[in-house]
Amino acid sequence: MLEIIASRLGVTAQDLVGGADPGQPEEVQLHVRFAELALESGDAGEAERVATGVLADPVAQRLTGVVADATYIRGRALEGMGRLSEAAAEYERIRRDFDSSPRWVPAQIRLSVCYRESGDLHRAVDVAEAALQRLRERGL
């Protein structure tokens, strides 16, 4: 029964009995930074693998900033591997779910680039114009 409850809550049975390991959020953050470092070092495959793992981690799911960061890094990695439609889906998620994240603006730029590179110039312009309008509304 405990396993079922834990599964539905996205935690382990041990978390329910003894509480979550207080080091887990820091460990998840380290994984995100590692993925970002792999990306900046030119290893898009490793960055995508680690970011995907972070996004599947139940601890990460409780940390909105971590999810936004990992989603952005995964999008950049996919884009770097030429998987533009998958990258666009990650950037669209940031656009939809994380509009207050520091990753929002760069994600909109990358999203517009993905659509342009995919040949959808109309969508690329629409994304960029909508992002500019939102920034103007916020006084930025």
Side-chain angles (χ1 to χ4, degrees), residues 18-70:
D21 176 2
Q24 284 181 329
E26 290 80 12
E27 186 176 325
V28 171
Q29 284 280 6
L30 282 174
H31 286 291
V32 170
R33 296 301 150 238
F34 178 79
E36 194 161 34
L37 182 60
L39 182 65
E40 296 303 322
S41 298
D43 193 348
E46 179 69 0
E48 192 268 338
R49 184 188 70 73
V50 173
T52 298
V54 168
L55 292 169
D57 186 325
V59 173
Q61 294 305 313
R62 297 189 302 256
L63 307 168
T64 304
V66 167
V67 174
D69 288 349

Side-chain angles (χ1 to χ4, degrees), residues 11-117:
V11 298
T12 67
Q14 181 60 36
D15 289 345
L16 291 177
V17 172
D21 176 2
Q24 284 181 329
E26 290 80 12
E27 186 176 325
V28 171
Q29 284 280 6
L30 282 174
H31 286 291
V32 170
R33 296 301 150 238
F34 178 79
E36 194 161 34
L37 182 60
L39 182 65
E40 296 303 322
S41 298
D43 193 348
E46 179 69 0
E48 192 268 338
R49 184 188 70 73
V50 173
T52 298
V54 168
L55 292 169
D57 186 325
V59 173
Q61 294 305 313
R62 297 189 302 256
L63 307 168
T64 304
V66 167
V67 174
D69 288 349
T71 301
Y72 179 76
I73 293 165
R74 185 168 191 275
R76 291 273 320 276
L78 290 165
E79 185 181 353
M81 294 186 291
R83 294 162 54 185
L84 299 179
S85 63
E86 292 173 79
E90 296 299 316
Y91 299 140
E92 287 284 6
R93 180 177 182 203
I94 293 170
R95 181 181 203 198
R96 181 187 68 241
D97 298 341
F98 303 107
D99 68 343
S100 62
S101 167
R103 301 289 190 166
W104 191 86
V105 171
Q108 299 322 291
I109 294 167
R110 301 305 326 152
L111 179 59
S112 182
V113 168
C114 282
Y115 285 131
R116 184 193 73 210
E117 294 297 316

